[in-house]
Amino acid sequence: MSKNFDVVVIGGGPGGYIAAIRAAQLGFNTACIDEWKNDKGGPAPGGTCTNVGCIPSKALLQSSEHFEHAGHGFAEHGIEVKGLNLDLGKMLGRKNTVVKQNNDGILYLFKKNKVTFFHGRGSFAKGDASGYEIKVAGATEESITAKHVIIATGSNARALPGTPFDEQLILSNTGALAITEVPKKLGVIGAGVIGLEMGSVWRRLGAEVTVLEALPAFLGAVDEQIAKEAQKLLTKQGLNVNLGVKIGEIKAGKKSVTVEYTDSKGAAQKGEFDKLIVSIGRTPNTIGLNAEAIGLKLDERGFIAVDGDCKTNLANVWAVGDVVRGPMLAHKAEEEGVAVAERIAGQHGHVNFNTIPWVIYTSPEIAWVGKTEQQLKADGVAYKAGTFPFLANGRARALGDTSGMVKFLADAKTDEILGVHIVGPMASELISEAVVAMEFRASAEDIARICHAHPSLSEATKEAALAVDKRALNF
Ligand code: FAD
Ligand code: NAI
């Protein structure tokens, strides 16, 4: 096996494995090192996303939504379900199978693209612009060299100070995806993306869920109108979201956790939970890289410092994904991975940060791209807004899910689309049209003039674009 590579990628998550495939496609002799182990100690490439993130969370969101529909949604369609039963073991088993299919898929893609895979931890031994020596500590220890190195070592869940994760009672995303008995009472600290997604899963399966959020506003980064609507809908489902709280002491007993906190009115409160998920953000992972050995620069928050092109302070060392600035999203990591491989090949790799979509996979889903109304106001940009509710969409009525809306924000003068915000059914799929439109710098009128299939949810997108010019047809 070759030990000298043109490109070595450290980390096999969406940033790393995609960078490796693209580098190999471009003709580089490429290796990817990843240390993630499956329950048998074997390789499990795909990183956080595949093992304890995007994929398993979406598998459980789907299963739990089916369970909720069977229990509460089917009756209105004239379907009676008797003797409904939850086999949580089977549900978790299915999730694990989906994860394994993705792990295996990546190993297959490495073979197909002739990427050499190393299972173990990669760390820098020494190096300079002429090449880098990297130690791989796996079942055996070996040394490989690379002309170019792409670091894609991802992120880890952030713990509350003094409250480490034990993954039994105090859970990070890893434990939250593997609870073997539905907790009666589940506490969630942080009403961000993970808190809302995992809170939804366990609420649907029968837990009483209390979410404790420090900020006074619900989903502060989301367009306010959309966030308000989402808060209303999720609260109606039974998710108990408490904003503006200050977390005090957390005590783990044998079978439960107590959380002392001050509520938004300043009153002391205490919650007792069977499990506690702490989802207060993630920290970049540079553990074990031995970055000091080569003088790799980190920023003040511990991220690898990079420029707009993902170049680090060292020649031919690049970094992508969660370990660098920007949103912690799998598709952002992938785009950066592709762009870096292309830059190494002398091409003009490109990532447009203005058109990275966000999706929160609650029900209804929340998705957006571009600027929020509050950002446009703060920037002093003159804009027009158009909204269209799913209540007035025929397909949504037929589906039996009429919650939410589509909202367009367009430049007041040029009509260029500046942001699109959706809370509603299949928002994750609908947002793609807005991303394409914004990438091509389309106007709201462009979308309004495009023929959309009937009956489809996408007609709500067209109608919201028409509403920018105050001429929605069905509302
Ligand atoms: P990672 O996926 O973290 O991969 C890094 C890899 O590097 C890991 O396999 C790690 O073991 C390995 N590694 C680290 N150090 C070394 C070393 N020294 N040597 C060898 N290997 C090393 N994003 C979305 O876009 N959509 C979603 O729906 C979504 N859902 C999520 C749900 C949850 C619960 C969580 C926690 C995250 C979710 N994310 C989602 C975020 C997404 O998972 C991350 O943005 C993405 O995984 C980042 O990719 P990455 O390649 O930068 O890092
Ligand atoms: P997050 O940043 O989305 O939310 C963290 C929340 O915790 C914030 O609302 C914050 O105000 C709150 N918080 C912070 N400290 C607190 C404290 N001491 N007490 C109470 N509340 C506190 O982070 P989260 O949910 O941990 O997810 C991490 C990242 O993973 C996300 O930002 C996202 O990038 C990614 N992710 C993406 C998903 C998707 O794309 N669908 C799904 C899940 C995660």
Side-chain angles (χ1 to χ4, degrees), residues 61 64 68 171 176 179 181-213 218 231 234-243 259 261 271-279 362:
L61 278 157
S64 60
E68 181 155 80
L171 315 175
I179 304 176
E181 197 181 322
V182 179
K184 276 206 177 72
K185 292 190 173 196
L186 173 69
V188 178
I189 300 186
V193 196
I194 295 179
L196 295 179
E197 289 189 357
M198 295 317 301
S200 294
V201 165
W202 294 107
R203 183 201 59 72
R204 292 170 192 168
L205 297 179
E208 183 187 316
V209 181
T210 303
V211 187
L212 302 172
E213 164 62 43
F218 183 70
Q231 186 181 5
L234 295 177
T235 305
K236 205 169 141 204
Q237 291 168 5
L239 207 62
N240 174 15
V241 182
N242 300 268
L243 302 172
V259 180
Y261 61 96
E272 186 171 355
F273 306 109
D274 303 308
K275 303 274 179 195
L276 179 70
I277 297 174
V278 177
S279 46
T362 44

Side-chain angles (χ1 to χ4, degrees), residues 41-62:
T48 302
C49 169
T50 301
N51 293 294
V52 291
C54 324
I55 300 300
S57 62
K58 266 79 255 179
L60 287 185
L61 278 157
Q62 189 63 55

Side-chain angles (χ1 to χ4, degrees), residues 121-306:
R121 172 168 285 188
S123 60
F124 286 101
K126 59 178 187 223
D128 53 36
S130 63
Y132 293 86
E133 187 185 327
I134 296 161
K135 281 211 175 95
V136 186
T140 56
E141 190 149 318
E142 46 196 323
S143 199
I144 62 177
T145 63
K147 171 82 179 135
H148 290 269
V149 182
I150 304 175
I151 304 168
T153 45
S155 63
N156 294 314
R158 186 152 70 87
L160 280 163
T163 309
F165 298 114
D166 60 21
E167 304 298 3
Q168 295 300 319
L169 288 174
I170 299 171
L171 315 175
S172 71
N173 54 298
T174 303
L177 288 159
I179 304 176
T180 52
E181 197 181 322
V182 179
K184 276 206 177 72
K185 292 190 173 196
L186 173 69
V188 178
I189 300 186
V193 196
I194 295 179
L196 295 179
E197 289 189 357
M198 295 317 301
S200 294
V201 165
W202 294 107
R203 183 201 59 72
R204 292 170 192 168
L205 297 179
E208 183 187 316
V209 181
T210 303
V211 187
L212 302 172
E213 164 62 43
L215 292 178
F218 183 70
L219 288 177
V222 175
D223 184 88
E224 262 171 33
Q225 189 181 0
I226 296 292
K228 278 210 178 105
E229 181 71 11
Q231 186 181 5
K232 198 177 78 193
L233 293 166
L234 295 177
T235 305
K236 205 169 141 204
Q237 291 168 5
L239 207 62
N240 174 15
V241 182
N242 300 268
L243 302 172
V245 309
K246 194 167 180 325
I247 303 293
E249 201 178 352
I250 298 179
K251 280 195 211 132
K254 277 207 174 119
K255 287 196 163 164
S256 66
V257 192
T258 50
V259 180
E260 292 179 354
Y261 61 96
T262 313
D263 68 17
S264 58
K265 295 191 182 98
Q269 304 283 356
K270 197 178 196 172
E272 186 171 355
F273 306 109
D274 303 308
K275 303 274 179 195
L276 179 70
I277 297 174
V278 177
S279 46
I280 56 166
R282 298 178 62 80
T283 52
N285 175 27
T286 51
I287 306 161
L289 259 184
N290 199 21
E292 320 76 63
I294 51 164
L296 181 69
K297 209 172 130 196
L298 307 186
D299 69 16
E300 63 286 353
R301 296 189 301 149
F303 290 89
I304 294 178
V306 287

Side-chain angles (χ1 to χ4, degrees), residues 67-136:
F67 182 68
E68 181 155 80
H69 283 172
H72 305 289
F74 286 173
E76 69 162 320
H77 292 264
I79 304 167
E80 205 179 317
V81 181
K82 280 191 183 139
L84 181 66
N85 207 12
L86 173 67
D87 184 343
L88 182 58
K90 195 164 181 186
M91 196 180 277
L92 293 174
R94 174 188 176 273
K95 176 224 33 168
N96 293 341
T97 304
V98 173
V99 168
K100 186 163 185 317
Q101 286 165 346
N102 281 271
N103 296 142
D104 292 347
I106 295 167
L107 290 170
Y108 161 78
L109 290 171
F110 280 162
K111 270 208 183 106
K112 184 182 163 203
N113 289 283
K114 298 190 175 53
V115 173
T116 306
F117 176 66
F118 291 91
H119 188 212
R121 172 168 285 188
S123 60
F124 286 101
K126 59 178 187 223
D128 53 36
S130 63
Y132 293 86
E133 187 185 327
I134 296 161
K135 281 211 175 95
V136 186

Side-chain angles (χ1 to χ4, degrees), residues 267-418:
Q269 304 283 356
K270 197 178 196 172
E272 186 171 355
F273 306 109
D274 303 308
K275 303 274 179 195
L276 179 70
I277 297 174
V278 177
S279 46
I280 56 166
R282 298 178 62 80
T283 52
N285 175 27
T286 51
I287 306 161
L289 259 184
N290 199 21
E292 320 76 63
I294 51 164
L296 181 69
K297 209 172 130 196
L298 307 186
D299 69 16
E300 63 286 353
R301 296 189 301 149
F303 290 89
I304 294 178
V306 287
D307 66 8
D309 285 347
C310 293
K311 273 188 186 145
T312 68
N313 65 315
L314 301 170
N316 302 337
V317 180
W318 312 70
V320 301
D322 280 12
V323 79
V324 304
R325 82 286 171 268
M328 288 185 168
L329 294 173
H331 42 283
K332 175 262 192 184
E334 291 183 10
E335 291 298 305
E336 286 183 334
V338 167
V340 163
E342 292 177 352
R343 284 174 197 133
I344 291 173
Q347 299 181 2
H348 297 279
H350 169 250
V351 181
N352 185 354
F353 273 84
N354 296 323
T355 53
I356 293 177
W358 276 85
V359 180
I360 305 177
Y361 293 83
T362 44
S363 180
E365 293 176 344
I366 306 161
W368 71 96
V369 58
K371 302 279 187 197
T372 61
E373 199 164 346
Q374 59 267 29
Q375 280 173 329
L376 293 177
K377 277 185 187 148
D379 295 347
V381 177
Y383 64 92
K384 297 176 286 182
T387 58
F388 187 83
F390 284 104
L391 199 65
N393 174 272
R395 183 72 193 281
R397 285 196 204 114
L399 283 175
D401 189 355
T402 52
S403 54
M405 70 183 94
V406 180
K407 172 172 179 175
F408 264 67
L409 296 168
D411 187 282
K413 261 204 198 128
T414 65
D415 196 38
E416 180 174 350
I417 303 166
L418 302 175

